[in-house]
Amino acid sequence: MTLAQAVVAGAEPAELARLDVPTTYRAAHLRKDEVGTFDQDEPDKDVRRTLHVGEVPMPELAADEVLIAVMASAINYNTVWSAMFEPIPTFAFLERFGRTDPRHDLPTHVLGSDAAGVVVRTGGAVRRWRVGDRVVTSPAYVDGEDPVVQHDGMLAADLRAWGFETNFGGLADFAVVKATQLLPKPRHLTWEEAACNMLCASTAYRMLVGERGARMKQGDVVLLWGATGGLGGYGVQLVLGGGGIPVGVVSSPEKAELLRRMGCPHVIDRGQFDDLADEKAWRRLGAEVRRLVGEDPAIVFEHTGRETFGASVYVARRGGSVVTCGSSSGYAHEYDNRHLWMKLKRIIGSHGANYQECHEVNRLISLGLLQPTLSAVYPLTGAADAARAVQLNQHVGKVGVLALAPGEGLGVEDRELRERVGEDRLRLFR
Ligand code: NDP
């Protein structure tokens, strides 16, 4: 029996520890010799051309690392960026990282920043995790020897997004993570439900709730772009859970309907604003928010970038905040600074979430207070199609990928909690 088969069969930890780690494993990866695939101005950089699934070499494990047998993973937008080689090829990250850890600088880059699975090996310095533990991963790959990590891991100089700026990511049958990325798998979720949350949920948590984010309080009006997307689906839930008033922006009646089913009281279809770069459209958006809620947003949840940023700065209320973690439509933003300074607004940059924030989010999920937003599930062999769906904005919530899990619906341990939360809430995005 192979190690992978033993994991799938639910073998005891002693059996997992006894079986050999394979020398190669199946993974969704990019190839360095394909970096020039797309012309700079190519209109459709189709990720299916560059994202491959095949065998890659198994790395050695460092003392502070853990090898996970991955049951399921999920697509994040960074996999789309990586496979387009935008804004720069991720092999540049791997080369730089390779100067201090040569294992990562390879002709293949295994992608994926989310995973749920079973620990099958621990490095010599790992104390809190054991072979056989069922885990989910947080995406921040941080050197624990950097003093600032004890203040806020996201300020670490060598912070890396796992599976984007490091190799050996989660879209694979095995993955290598630091022990400080591990969290216990929520026991009431399936593998694919557990695997889809951490990156987006924790990023949204830090943006809205975290000490260094917008620090939402009860009653705050929060405008969320992409409100049924990866980040937005958790953002809306966190606003509702924290007593705020979400105003969700989406681009279709189907998404608007999903938002209402989530309990979002105010929904805006961005289709009605033809050009959000234009101040007239900002004014109309602001008027629409006032019409719906009666006041301007205290917080604008931004990740959409160039096409929306000017509007976001404009519609935030006097003294309000625009909190941003991304730029899907372009990262060179333009906005009218008069609206910012004259009305004492703030722009807050946010990135990922530190280990403690990930722990807080995992706790909410494990208590059944924050639900997965899984909408579709692909096999690992279909990872490129899954990433393509996200690239084309054809999805809602999160798109899952099964790795070693032989099918959907497996991995649930706490059926009682699952029943209490309810299948309808757990499957709202399906
Ligand atoms: P998704 O693709 O799942 O969702 C994004 C949503 O944004 C879509 O559902 C879409 O909703 C909306 N959208 C897309 N383009 C536009 C546009 N031009 N104008 C307005 N709305 C738009 O992605 P994620 O939510 O997972 O990620 C969003 C961004 O945030 C990405 O750029 C990603 O890289 C970044 N990110 C950054 C993180 C960090 O730690 N720094 C972590 C996670 C994500 P609709 O069409 O319905 O309006």
Side-chain angles (χ1 to χ4, degrees), residues 193 372 374 408 418 422-430:
E193 287 166 353
L374 188 72
E408 293 182 44
R418 192 172 176 89
E423 291 293 332
D424 47 341
R425 287 170 75 206
L426 289 165
R427 296 178 65 86
L428 195 65
F429 278 63
R430 301 299 301 264

Side-chain angles (χ1 to χ4, degrees), residues 81 230-231 250-251 255 270 303-304 307 325 328 351-352 393 395:
W81 290 122
L231 289 168
V250 286
S251 65
K255 287 180 178 178
R270 69 180 164 98
H303 48 86
T304 36
E307 286 179 17
C325 76
S328 297
H351 185 44
N393 192 17
H395 69 299

Side-chain angles (χ1 to χ4, degrees), residues 75-81 139 154 161 199-200 203-204 207 225-233 249-252 255-256 268-270 276 301-308 324-330 350-353 389-391 393 395-399:
I75 302 295
N76 282 296
Y77 209 84
N78 65 13
T79 292
V80 175
W81 290 122
M154 298 313 288
L199 185 141
C200 278
T203 301
M207 288 170 76
W225 294 102
T228 58
L231 289 168
V249 185
V250 286
S251 65
S252 72
K255 287 180 178 178
I268 294 177
D269 189 331
R270 69 180 164 98
L276 276 164
F301 184 82
E302 248 291 339
H303 48 86
T304 36
R306 187 174 170 78
E307 286 179 17
T308 57
T324 176
C325 76
S327 286
S328 297
S329 67
S350 194
H351 185 44
V390 173
Q391 181 181 29
N393 192 17
H395 69 299
V396 287
K398 296 298 303 178
V399 173

Side-chain angles (χ1 to χ4, degrees), residues 67-128:
L67 182 67
I68 303 171
V70 180
M71 301 303 268
S73 179
I75 302 295
N76 282 296
Y77 209 84
N78 65 13
T79 292
V80 175
W81 290 122
S82 305
M84 294 194 293
F85 304 117
E86 291 276 341
I88 56 168
T90 50
F91 289 98
F93 303 139
L94 300 187
E95 278 167 25
R96 196 172 326 130
F97 194 11
R99 287 182 218 142
T100 49
D101 189 341
R103 293 174 306 160
H104 289 261
D105 185 9
L106 295 175
T108 51
H109 185 184
V110 178
L111 304 176
S113 301
D114 267 316
V118 178
V119 172
V120 289
R121 286 294 183 276
T122 56
V126 176
R127 296 175 306 282
R128 297 180 62 186

Side-chain angles (χ1 to χ4, degrees), residues 104-278:
H104 289 261
D105 185 9
L106 295 175
T108 51
H109 185 184
V110 178
L111 304 176
S113 301
D114 267 316
V118 178
V119 172
V120 289
R121 286 294 183 276
T122 56
V126 176
R127 296 175 306 282
R128 297 180 62 186
W129 303 94
R130 304 255 179 280
V131 170
D133 286 350
R134 294 167 153 228
V135 293
V136 292
T137 55
S138 92
Y141 186 98
V142 175
D143 182 352
E145 290 179 13
D146 185 342
V148 80
V149 167
Q150 295 206 4
H151 175 59
D152 177 10
M154 298 313 288
L155 296 178
D158 70 341
L159 162 74
R160 292 183 165 88
W162 170 65
F164 176 59
E165 293 166 295
T166 79
N167 218 321
F168 322 127
L171 286 166
D173 288 342
F174 292 92
V176 176
V177 294
K178 282 192 186 283
T180 49
Q181 288 177 254
L182 294 181
L183 296 154
K185 172 189 166 290
R187 290 165 53 84
H188 66 301
L189 299 184
T190 65
W191 289 114
E192 60 278 10
E193 287 166 353
C196 75
N197 306 304
M198 256 354 261
L199 185 141
C200 278
S202 64
T203 301
Y205 181 89
R206 182 180 173 104
M207 288 170 76
L208 291 166
V209 186
E211 282 172 29
R212 293 167 187 83
R215 307 200 69 165
M216 192 201 81
K217 60 183 194 326
Q218 292 179 42
D220 276 353
V221 175
V222 183
L223 181 85
L224 301 106
W225 294 102
T228 58
L231 289 168
Y234 298 101
V236 170
Q237 293 187 63
L238 289 167
V239 174
L240 286 169
I245 303 168
V247 182
V249 185
V250 286
S251 65
S252 72
E254 294 75 26
K255 287 180 178 178
E257 178 50 34
L258 174 57
L259 258 187
R260 290 197 186 90
R261 288 206 307 274
M262 287 176 78
C264 184
H266 306 296
V267 179
I268 294 177
D269 189 331
R270 69 180 164 98
Q272 63 188 283
F273 307 100
D274 25 316
D275 183 10
L276 276 164
D278 174 11

Side-chain angles (χ1 to χ4, degrees), residues 1-12 15-16 18-20:
M1 189 186 276
T2 65
L3 182 56
Q5 288 165 340
V7 169
V8 173
E12 292 296 318
E15 173 76 353
L16 299 179
R18 193 184 59 76
L19 289 165
D20 287 338

